[in-house]
Each structure stands twice: as structure tokens, then as C-alpha cells.
């Protein structure tokens, strides 16, 4: 680290080829290594004093139509049995050979992301829950906070009413200082149903 607190990646990579490999993978897939990017802050303070956010409310699942739908709209417009879907997929790949490699890359990325987010070694707090990105932000914030740090997130109410979320709530409630619940009656958020409940948790 130089006098301005900036890490010399070149020197770091010489000391540890693993860091270079992880940096290449992170650049390609756009993940973020908090303790590496903010090494000076973590060394001095142990993490962040304040975090604010509106994490993505996205279920992590494979959506084939998102990849193939532009080329073959039937993937989006119709419901198919697994056998019909397989036949249509193969027919589409035969017609557009370059599409198969793109589909395979997207599928591998989606499966990798699901496996990472559902792995108990990465998110033990979410064991038994279906991965939704906003849920992953809560334990991540706990890990990168300084000892007396605070975090506030706008998110759906699923953490409070998920029947399988007891273990997560047991960790959340002792940390929770304030919770404000809202519904989208005034349609401030057009992409969220007007009766959907969401909240701000501090």
C-alpha cells in the first residue's frame, strides 16, 4: 500500500499468483472483493461504518427464454413440455449454430451463480432458503461492517414471513434497530405490484 492507501496490484500479484487469477475472474464476471478493494479501511477500522442500499429483488434462477427468446420468440410466448422444449431448442441451435455457444455460456454462468449463492460455505445464514439477491446483501453487510457499523436496506418483506427463514430471522432480529414497512399503493415504483409490501430495515 502506498502513502495514499492505494494497493499496488502489480506487486500484490507477484507475491500471490492466486490474487492475479481471482482478479482476472472478478474482472470477467464483475464480482467485487470488498476486503481487497478497501484493504486500508478493513485494516484500520475492520469494515464500514455505514452502508445504505436498495439491493436487487431478483430470484436467481435460469431463464432460458431470456437467452433464446430474441431468436425464437416461442420460448417466451408459449409453454412447452420438457420434451417439446428440448426439441425446439435443438431445432433452434441447428438453425442458428452460433447461438448454442452463447446459450451454454449463459447457462454455465447462471448455474455457477446459483451454486455460489446457495452454498452454505458462502452464505450459511441462508441455508434452506431460495436465493434472492436482496437476502444475500444482509449477511454480506454484517461481514463487511465495522464492529459498531450500521446498514440500512430497502427490500421485500420475505425475510420476515418466509416459513423457512427462521434461522435468518434469529440472526437478523438482534441486529435490527428499526423497520419501516410500506406498500406501493401510490405506485411510486412502477415495476413493483401496487399491493406489494416492502420495507426499510436498519
Amino acid at each position: 500500500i502506498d502513502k495514499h492507501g492505494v494497493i499496488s496490484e502489480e506487486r500484490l500479484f507477484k507475491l500471490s499468483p492466486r490474487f492475479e487469477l481471482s482478479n482476472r475472474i472478478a474482472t470477467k464476471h464483475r464480482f467485487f472483493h470488498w476486503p481487497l478493494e478497501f484493504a486500508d479501511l478493513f485494516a484500520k477500522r475492520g469494515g464500514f461504518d455505514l452502508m445504505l442500499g436498495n439491493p436487487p429483488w431478483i430470484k436467481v434462477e435460469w431463464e432460458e427464454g431470456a437467452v433464446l427468446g430474441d431468436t425464437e420468440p416461442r420460448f417466451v410466448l408459449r409453454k412447452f413440455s420438457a420434451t417439446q422444449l428440448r426439441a425446439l431448442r435443438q431445432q433452434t441451435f441447428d438453425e442458428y449454430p452460433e447461438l448454442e455457444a452463447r446459450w451454454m455460456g449463459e447457462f454455465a454462468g447462471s448455474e455457477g451463480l446459483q451454486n455460489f449463492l446457495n452454498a452454505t460455505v458462502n452464505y450459511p445464514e441462508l441455508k434452506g432458503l431460495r436465493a434472492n439477491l436482496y437476502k444475500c446483501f444482509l449477511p454480506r453487510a454484517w461481514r463487511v461492517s465495522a464492529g459498531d457499523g450500521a446498514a440500512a436496506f430497502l427490500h421485500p418483506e420475505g425475510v420476515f414471513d418466509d416459513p423457512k427463514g427462521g434461522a435468518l430471522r434469529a440472526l437478523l432480529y438482534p441486529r435490527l434497530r428499526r423497520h419501516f414497512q410500506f406498500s406501493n399503493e401510490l405506485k411510486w415504483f412502477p415495476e413493483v405490484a401496487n399491493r406489494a409490501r416492502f420495507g426499510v430495515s436498519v
Side-chain angles (χ1 to χ4, degrees):
I1 299 173
D2 68 15
K3 64 181 180 180
H4 305 293
V6 177
I7 294 172
S8 167
E9 289 186 348
E10 186 180 337
R11 289 177 62 195
L12 182 64
F13 296 159
K14 282 180 185 171
L15 290 171
S16 174
R18 273 191 196 185
F19 275 128
E20 183 177 16
L21 175 62
S22 70
N23 188 64
R24 264 191 287 131
I25 294 169
T27 302
K28 179 180 177 186
H29 294 285
R30 298 186 215 137
F31 13 98
F32 199 75
H33 293 273
W34 294 94
L36 183 59
E37 293 293 332
F38 296 99
D40 56 333
L41 185 140
F42 277 82
K44 289 177 189 166
R45 306 184 62 83
F48 295 99
D49 293 323
L50 177 65
M51 286 171 283
L52 304 171
N54 179 7
W57 306 2
I58 299 170
K59 287 181 184 168
V60 181
E61 53 194 9
W62 170 241
E63 291 184 25
E64 187 167 46
V67 180
L68 301 177
D70 286 343
T71 306
E72 175 48 80
R74 287 183 291 174
F75 282 102
V76 179
L77 299 175
R78 297 203 182 135
K79 297 282 185 195
F80 293 103
S81 69
T83 306
Q84 291 170 320
L85 195 59
R86 203 169 22 256
L88 180 60
R89 185 185 312 119
Q90 191 55 55
Q91 177 188 337
T92 306
F93 290 159
D94 291 343
E95 196 172 338
Y96 302 96
E98 71 286 351
L99 188 60
E100 186 170 7
R102 189 171 140 236
W103 178 89
M104 191 66 76
E106 293 287 337
F107 180 74
S110 175
E111 285 294 302
L113 181 60
Q114 284 184 55
N115 286 329
F116 179 84
L117 296 176
N118 289 317
T120 53
V121 70
N122 297 323
Y123 291 97
E125 306 87 348
L126 303 179
K127 185 177 181 179
L129 297 175
R130 288 190 63 205
N132 189 313
L133 288 182
Y134 82 87
K135 290 178 184 172
C136 298
F137 271 71
L138 299 173
R140 175 63 53 201
W142 302 337
R143 287 186 210 129
V144 298
S145 290
D148 57 353
F153 292 113
L154 176 73
H155 59 79
E157 295 289 272
V159 293
F160 298 108
D161 59 18
D162 188 324
K164 296 181 179 177
L168 177 61
R169 285 190 290 277
L171 297 168
L172 173 64
Y173 287 150
R175 291 175 166 92
L176 194 61
R177 297 296 170 258
R178 298 280 184 278
H179 181 72
F180 307 94
Q181 188 181 76
F182 306 95
S183 64
N184 198 28
E185 297 271 339
L186 299 177
K187 300 182 183 173
W188 288 348
F189 303 103
E191 64 279 0
V192 178
N194 70 323
R195 299 244 181 240
R197 294 196 179 281
F198 55 94
V200 173
S201 295
V202 181

